[in-house]
Amino acid sequence: MHIHKSKDGERTAEVAVFSVKKYDIEHLEPEFDKIGVKVTFLQTQLNDETVSLAEGYPAICIFVNDNLTAANLELLKKSGLRFVLLRCAGFNNVDIAAAHRLGIRVARVPAYSPYAVAEFAVGLMLMLNRKLHKAYARVREGNFSLEGLTGFDMYGKRVGIIGTGKIGLLTGRICAGFGCEVVCYDPYPNPAGAAEVGMKYIALDELLATSDIISLHCPLTPDTFHMINDESIDAMKDNVMIINTSRGGLVDTVALIRYLKSGKIGQVGMDVYENESGMYFEDSSDDVMQDDTMSRLLTFPNVCITGHQAFLTREALMNIASTTAQNLVDLIQGNDMKTLVLP
Ligand code: NAD
């Protein structure tokens, strides 16, 4: 596979780009254009039913809810797939071990804008705490009553950050700026980074038991799947706020609902949902909702749900597009890459 424009301007490398929206095309098209790559943009999500659309392409470019199982990778390998370009940081949606076995190289965008996600996570904290979602709707209806809108000072509250990578550290830094006491847990600690931000590592059990706000910033792995479950919620402070901008599968949503109903959990902000695939990024406002768990979540006044929006800033979209195009160049040229995903 080569990237070059022939004399008549025709491009030779071909990439099928799945799950694209208008804002993706606006940013990706000029970057692929710069490197002379022929691109097919598809709105379709890549999954077991749609995998045949990817057949024959040497490279495919996918997003968070496109699913590449071992079986799909085997099928695509037979039709010449060599490279998978993830337009995101997380890679739980690709069977990396199978890709490696098949010699398909996978690259991701490790940090398109950690600021975007950290700022959004804190935005959810403020919205829930100060009930901005209710205030906005109330005032638009001419209701200027403040009844039921009492919040709490962020100053002095303990915020527990689970996962102190790029986004976790930045979230901690913003919270420290409010005068929160920021504690954190990570099995691979970064003491220098945490110290700079003013966060203190403590044991996970202690973080769960003592934090007023818990914000999740770790990847979804077999170890972290449903880390927020009956047992861990039981251990939390009464009235705790839980924020999840990482991956839906970190939280056992059915357990979450049980503890929201009992009143144990004070507030929940979630930008990601374990069954979001097939639902998020689409307008289904004219349809009857089929997901009973989501329907129940939407009834709670103290739950704010957004549709995997935390990454969506202009800066992030530009970084995603330029890193994705560079990843393709590096993969084709066999360059050393920090963005390769290995098992
Ligand atoms: P990162 O790789 O920089 O940091 C992840 C951290 O989690 C690492 O320090 C790692 O050691 C830690 N970790 C691993 N296992 C853990 C465990 N069991 N408990 C606690 N910590 C653990 O990743 P990042 O860029 O900070 O992103 C964090 C997550 O945010 C990503 O995995 C991704 O799923 C999610 N994300 C969401 C959006 C969005 O739009 N909502 C956008 C980008 C990233």
Side-chain angles (χ1 to χ4, degrees):
M1 183 177 174
H2 302 287
I3 296 181
H4 61 80
K5 284 187 188 175
S6 60
K7 278 192 198 122
D8 61 1
E10 197 184 314
R11 295 146 192 188
T12 48
E14 287 207 29
V15 186
V17 188
F18 283 85
S19 294
V20 286
K21 302 289 177 202
K22 201 167 145 239
Y23 48 78
D24 294 312
I25 298 175
E26 277 166 15
H27 291 86
L28 286 166
E29 200 163 36
E31 292 297 330
F32 280 127
D33 202 40
K34 269 188 221 160
I35 61 166
V37 169
K38 193 170 166 187
V39 191
T40 305
F41 288 112
L42 298 150
Q43 288 177 358
T44 317
Q45 187 180 314
L46 183 64
N47 55 35
D48 291 351
E49 278 83 51
T50 62
V51 65
S52 60
L53 291 172
E55 284 187 88
Y57 286 93
I60 56 174
C61 180
I62 63 172
F63 197 48
V64 288
N65 288 327
D66 295 308
N67 199 6
L68 270 180
T69 58
N72 290 344
L73 284 163
E74 272 158 33
L75 185 82
L76 295 178
K77 171 75 186 175
K78 283 186 197 138
S79 72
L81 181 66
R82 294 174 60 199
F83 307 131
V84 175
L85 303 163
L86 283 159
R87 303 199 296 283
C88 51
F91 45 85
N92 53 287
N93 51 332
V94 178
D95 189 328
I96 298 298
H100 193 66
R101 193 177 68 241
L102 292 163
I104 297 171
R105 305 184 87 204
V106 181
R108 65 183 180 124
V109 185
Y112 34 90
S113 173
Y115 305 99
V117 184
E119 289 167 11
F120 195 89
V122 177
L124 283 176
M125 290 177 200
L126 293 177
M127 178 158 81
L128 285 157
N129 168 13
R130 304 306 299 271
K131 302 177 175 55
L132 299 177
H133 53 305
K134 289 187 182 184
Y136 175 79
R138 256 187 213 188
V139 169
R140 283 177 72 94
E141 291 196 351
N143 176 358
F144 295 92
S145 160
L146 299 182
E147 284 302 332
L149 297 185
T150 309
F152 57 82
D153 285 7
M154 293 288 284
Y155 178 83
K157 294 297 176 298
R158 180 174 265 211
V159 178
I161 303 281
I162 301 184
T164 56
K166 293 171 287 295
I167 297 170
L169 283 180
L170 286 171
T171 307
R173 188 163 81 185
I174 300 171
C175 292
F178 284 128
C180 298
E181 183 203 0
V182 190
V183 293
C184 55
Y185 166 77
D186 194 309
Y188 308 98
N190 171 1
E196 197 187 321
V197 165
M199 307 202 294
K200 183 174 79 172
Y201 280 103
I202 60 173
L204 181 60
D205 286 356
E206 193 189 344
L207 183 152
L208 294 172
T210 60
S211 297
D212 300 295
I213 300 173
I214 295 175
S215 196
L216 306 177
H217 300 287
C218 54
L220 178 61
T221 65
D223 280 349
T224 60
F225 177 72
H226 281 188
M227 70 188 303
I228 303 301
N229 53 30
D230 287 85
E231 203 186 334
S232 51
I233 300 172
D234 232 10
M236 292 176 193
K237 269 178 101 165
D238 286 350
N239 217 22
V240 63
M241 180 193 293
I242 301 172
I243 302 290
N244 186 9
T245 54
S246 278
R247 284 291 179 268
L250 297 175
V251 177
D252 177 348
T253 320
V254 174
L256 194 76
I257 289 173
R258 258 196 300 278
Y259 285 88
L260 276 161
K261 281 172 77 177
S262 77
K264 163 90 185 175
I265 297 177
Q267 287 123 345
V268 170
M270 42 189 266
D271 186 48
V272 286
Y273 169 50
E274 57 180 326
N275 302 320
E276 70 179 54
S277 183
M279 180 193 308
Y280 277 22
F281 308 119
E282 303 303 330
D283 179 1
S284 304
S285 52
D286 285 335
D287 304 335
V288 172
M289 182 162 289
Q290 297 301 317
D291 185 320
D292 292 348
T293 307
M294 173 57 87
S295 300
R296 184 67 181 98
L297 275 175
L298 290 172
T299 66
F300 291 103
N302 48 350
V303 173
C304 282
I305 298 175
T306 49
H308 210 136
Q309 183 195 337
F311 74 98
L312 195 65
T313 63
R314 279 193 301 274
E315 291 79 0
L317 288 172
M318 284 187 309
N319 289 338
I320 289 171
S322 59
T323 307
T324 300
Q326 187 59 45
N327 278 345
L328 184 59
V329 171
D330 289 339
L331 285 167
I332 292 170
Q333 295 179 350
N335 299 337
D336 277 348
M337 296 173 69
K338 289 202 175 101
T339 53
L340 263 192
V341 186
L342 297 167

PDB file of all heavy atoms in Angstrom, residues 20-34:
ATOM      1  N   VAL A  20     -19.017   7.958  10.583  1.00  0.00           N
ATOM      2  CA  VAL A  20     -18.673   9.373  10.467  1.00  0.00           C
ATOM      3  C   VAL A  20     -19.904  10.262  10.583  1.00  0.00           C
ATOM      4  O   VAL A  20     -21.003   9.917  10.159  1.00  0.00           O
ATOM      5  CB  VAL A  20     -17.953   9.734   9.145  1.00  0.00           C
ATOM      6  CG1 VAL A  20     -16.526   9.266   9.142  1.00  0.00           C
ATOM      7  CG2 VAL A  20     -18.707   9.280   7.949  1.00  0.00           C
ATOM      8  N   LYS A  21     -19.677  11.397  11.169  1.00  0.00           N
ATOM      9  CA  LYS A  21     -20.660  12.471  11.238  1.00  0.00           C
ATOM     10  C   LYS A  21     -20.096  13.646  10.456  1.00  0.00           C
ATOM     11  O   LYS A  21     -18.911  13.667  10.133  1.00  0.00           O
ATOM     12  CB  LYS A  21     -20.880  12.902  12.699  1.00  0.00           C
ATOM     13  CG  LYS A  21     -21.327  11.783  13.600  1.00  0.00           C
ATOM     14  CD  LYS A  21     -22.745  11.379  13.308  1.00  0.00           C
ATOM     15  CE  LYS A  21     -23.181  10.201  14.154  1.00  0.00           C
ATOM     16  NZ  LYS A  21     -24.300   9.472  13.560  1.00  0.00           N
ATOM     17  N   LYS A  22     -20.947  14.648  10.241  1.00  0.00           N
ATOM     18  CA  LYS A  22     -20.513  15.816   9.468  1.00  0.00           C
ATOM     19  C   LYS A  22     -19.239  16.445  10.064  1.00  0.00           C
ATOM     20  O   LYS A  22     -18.300  16.781   9.355  1.00  0.00           O
ATOM     21  CB  LYS A  22     -21.667  16.830   9.482  1.00  0.00           C
ATOM     22  CG  LYS A  22     -21.622  17.825   8.382  1.00  0.00           C
ATOM     23  CD  LYS A  22     -22.967  18.560   8.308  1.00  0.00           C
ATOM     24  CE  LYS A  22     -22.721  19.983   7.919  1.00  0.00           C
ATOM     25  NZ  LYS A  22     -23.179  20.977   8.845  1.00  0.00           N
ATOM     26  N   TYR A  23     -19.233  16.545  11.418  1.00  0.00           N
ATOM     27  CA  TYR A  23     -18.071  17.184  12.046  1.00  0.00           C
ATOM     28  C   TYR A  23     -16.795  16.369  11.859  1.00  0.00           C
ATOM     29  O   TYR A  23     -15.692  16.901  11.856  1.00  0.00           O
ATOM     30  CB  TYR A  23     -18.325  17.482  13.535  1.00  0.00           C
ATOM     31  CG  TYR A  23     -18.903  16.338  14.345  1.00  0.00           C
ATOM     32  CD1 TYR A  23     -18.104  15.294  14.784  1.00  0.00           C
ATOM     33  CD2 TYR A  23     -20.248  16.303  14.685  1.00  0.00           C
ATOM     34  CE1 TYR A  23     -18.636  14.250  15.548  1.00  0.00           C
ATOM     35  CE2 TYR A  23     -20.788  15.277  15.434  1.00  0.00           C
ATOM     36  CZ  TYR A  23     -19.985  14.249  15.863  1.00  0.00           C
ATOM     37  OH  TYR A  23     -20.507  13.216  16.606  1.00  0.00           O
ATOM     38  N   ASP A  24     -16.922  15.029  11.691  1.00  0.00           N
ATOM     39  CA  ASP A  24     -15.725  14.204  11.426  1.00  0.00           C
ATOM     40  C   ASP A  24     -15.198  14.489  10.033  1.00  0.00           C
ATOM     41  O   ASP A  24     -14.000  14.684   9.834  1.00  0.00           O
ATOM     42  CB  ASP A  24     -16.071  12.707  11.495  1.00  0.00           C
ATOM     43  CG  ASP A  24     -16.462  12.259  12.881  1.00  0.00           C
ATOM     44  OD1 ASP A  24     -15.732  12.588  13.830  1.00  0.00           O
ATOM     45  OD2 ASP A  24     -17.491  11.573  13.017  1.00  0.00           O
ATOM     46  N   ILE A  25     -16.119  14.499   9.054  1.00  0.00           N
ATOM     47  CA  ILE A  25     -15.699  14.684   7.656  1.00  0.00           C
ATOM     48  C   ILE A  25     -15.009  16.032   7.495  1.00  0.00           C
ATOM     49  O   ILE A  25     -13.966  16.133   6.855  1.00  0.00           O
ATOM     50  CB  ILE A  25     -16.906  14.547   6.701  1.00  0.00           C
ATOM     51  CG1 ILE A  25     -17.500  13.140   6.808  1.00  0.00           C
ATOM     52  CG2 ILE A  25     -16.499  14.837   5.251  1.00  0.00           C
ATOM     53  CD1 ILE A  25     -18.765  12.919   6.013  1.00  0.00           C
ATOM     54  N   GLU A  26     -15.594  17.056   8.132  1.00  0.00           N
ATOM     55  CA  GLU A  26     -15.011  18.403   8.018  1.00  0.00           C
ATOM     56  C   GLU A  26     -13.540  18.428   8.428  1.00  0.00           C
ATOM     57  O   GLU A  26     -12.742  19.172   7.873  1.00  0.00           O
ATOM     58  CB  GLU A  26     -15.768  19.384   8.932  1.00  0.00           C
ATOM     59  CG  GLU A  26     -17.030  19.931   8.294  1.00  0.00           C
ATOM     60  CD  GLU A  26     -17.925  20.611   9.331  1.00  0.00           C
ATOM     61  OE1 GLU A  26     -17.455  20.905  10.462  1.00  0.00           O
ATOM     62  OE2 GLU A  26     -19.097  20.817   9.009  1.00  0.00           O
ATOM     63  N   HIS A  27     -13.200  17.628   9.431  1.00  0.00           N
ATOM     64  CA  HIS A  27     -11.820  17.651   9.929  1.00  0.00           C
ATOM     65  C   HIS A  27     -10.944  16.590   9.267  1.00  0.00           C
ATOM     66  O   HIS A  27      -9.758  16.805   9.053  1.00  0.00           O
ATOM     67  CB  HIS A  27     -11.808  17.479  11.451  1.00  0.00           C
ATOM     68  CG  HIS A  27     -12.378  18.658  12.169  1.00  0.00           C
ATOM     69  ND1 HIS A  27     -13.731  18.800  12.401  1.00  0.00           N
ATOM     70  CD2 HIS A  27     -11.795  19.771  12.660  1.00  0.00           C
ATOM     71  CE1 HIS A  27     -13.950  19.938  13.023  1.00  0.00           C
ATOM     72  NE2 HIS A  27     -12.796  20.552  13.200  1.00  0.00           N
ATOM     73  N   LEU A  28     -11.528  15.422   8.953  1.00  0.00           N
ATOM     74  CA  LEU A  28     -10.708  14.321   8.406  1.00  0.00           C
ATOM     75  C   LEU A  28     -10.375  14.528   6.931  1.00  0.00           C
ATOM     76  O   LEU A  28      -9.257  14.220   6.489  1.00  0.00           O
ATOM     77  CB  LEU A  28     -11.447  12.977   8.565  1.00  0.00           C
ATOM     78  CG  LEU A  28     -11.494  12.389   9.975  1.00  0.00           C
ATOM     79  CD1 LEU A  28     -12.520  11.263  10.039  1.00  0.00           C
ATOM     80  CD2 LEU A  28     -10.118  11.856  10.393  1.00  0.00           C
ATOM     81  N   GLU A  29     -11.330  15.025   6.182  1.00  0.00           N
ATOM     82  CA  GLU A  29     -11.138  15.111   4.724  1.00  0.00           C
ATOM     83  C   GLU A  29      -9.881  15.915   4.356  1.00  0.00           C
ATOM     84  O   GLU A  29      -9.046  15.426   3.582  1.00  0.00           O
ATOM     85  CB  GLU A  29     -12.382  15.701   4.061  1.00  0.00           C
ATOM     86  CG  GLU A  29     -12.451  15.363   2.585  1.00  0.00           C
ATOM     87  CD  GLU A  29     -13.857  15.591   2.031  1.00  0.00           C
ATOM     88  OE1 GLU A  29     -14.539  16.549   2.469  1.00  0.00           O
ATOM     89  OE2 GLU A  29     -14.255  14.813   1.145  1.00  0.00           O
ATOM     90  N   PRO A  30      -9.700  17.114   4.926  1.00  0.00           N
ATOM     91  CA  PRO A  30      -8.487  17.858   4.550  1.00  0.00           C
ATOM     92  C   PRO A  30      -7.202  17.141   4.942  1.00  0.00           C
ATOM     93  O   PRO A  30      -6.202  17.224   4.228  1.00  0.00           O
ATOM     94  CB  PRO A  30      -8.614  19.173   5.322  1.00  0.00           C
ATOM     95  CG  PRO A  30      -9.896  19.157   6.036  1.00  0.00           C
ATOM     96  CD  PRO A  30     -10.583  17.869   5.826  1.00  0.00           C
ATOM     97  N   GLU A  31      -7.217  16.415   6.074  1.00  0.00           N
ATOM     98  CA  GLU A  31      -5.985  15.731   6.512  1.00  0.00           C
ATOM     99  C   GLU A  31      -5.652  14.559   5.589  1.00  0.00           C
ATOM    100  O   GLU A  31      -4.496  14.355   5.226  1.00  0.00           O
ATOM    101  CB  GLU A  31      -6.138  15.240   7.967  1.00  0.00           C
ATOM    102  CG  GLU A  31      -6.219  16.352   8.984  1.00  0.00           C
ATOM    103  CD  GLU A  31      -4.953  17.206   9.062  1.00  0.00           C
ATOM    104  OE1 GLU A  31      -3.848  16.682   8.800  1.00  0.00           O
ATOM    105  OE2 GLU A  31      -5.080  18.408   9.366  1.00  0.00           O
ATOM    106  N   PHE A  32      -6.661  13.767   5.222  1.00  0.00           N
ATOM    107  CA  PHE A  32      -6.407  12.655   4.295  1.00  0.00           C
ATOM    108  C   PHE A  32      -6.031  13.205   2.915  1.00  0.00           C
ATOM    109  O   PHE A  32      -5.228  12.616   2.205  1.00  0.00           O
ATOM    110  CB  PHE A  32      -7.625  11.731   4.200  1.00  0.00           C
ATOM    111  CG  PHE A  32      -7.744  10.758   5.348  1.00  0.00           C
ATOM    112  CD1 PHE A  32      -8.911  10.665   6.087  1.00  0.00           C
ATOM    113  CD2 PHE A  32      -6.689   9.917   5.685  1.00  0.00           C
ATOM    114  CE1 PHE A  32      -9.019   9.758   7.149  1.00  0.00           C
ATOM    115  CE2 PHE A  32      -6.789   9.013   6.741  1.00  0.00           C
ATOM    116  CZ  PHE A  32      -7.957   8.944   7.476  1.00  0.00           C
ATOM    117  N   ASP A  33      -6.618  14.342   2.593  1.00  0.00           N
ATOM    118  CA  ASP A  33      -6.314  14.980   1.319  1.00  0.00           C
ATOM    119  C   ASP A  33      -4.835  15.358   1.251  1.00  0.00           C
ATOM    120  O   ASP A  33      -4.154  15.121   0.260  1.00  0.00           O
ATOM    121  CB  ASP A  33      -7.205  16.225   1.180  1.00  0.00           C
ATOM    122  CG  ASP A  33      -7.361  16.617  -0.266  1.00  0.00           C
ATOM    123  OD1 ASP A  33      -7.502  15.704  -1.100  1.00  0.00           O
ATOM    124  OD2 ASP A  33      -7.305  17.830  -0.563  1.00  0.00           O
ATOM    125  N   LYS A  34      -4.339  15.921   2.371  1.00  0.00           N
ATOM    126  CA  LYS A  34      -2.936  16.353   2.426  1.00  0.00           C
ATOM    127  C   LYS A  34      -1.998  15.202   2.129  1.00  0.00           C
ATOM    128  O   LYS A  34      -0.950  15.387   1.524  1.00  0.00           O
ATOM    129  CB  LYS A  34      -2.606  16.878   3.836  1.00  0.00           C
ATOM    130  CG  LYS A  34      -2.818  18.344   4.044  1.00  0.00           C
ATOM    131  CD  LYS A  34      -2.248  18.732   5.418  1.00  0.00           C
ATOM    132  CE  LYS A  34      -3.183  19.696   6.108  1.00  0.00           C
ATOM    133  NZ  LYS A  34      -2.995  19.774   7.545  1.00  0.00           N
TER     134      LYS A  34
END
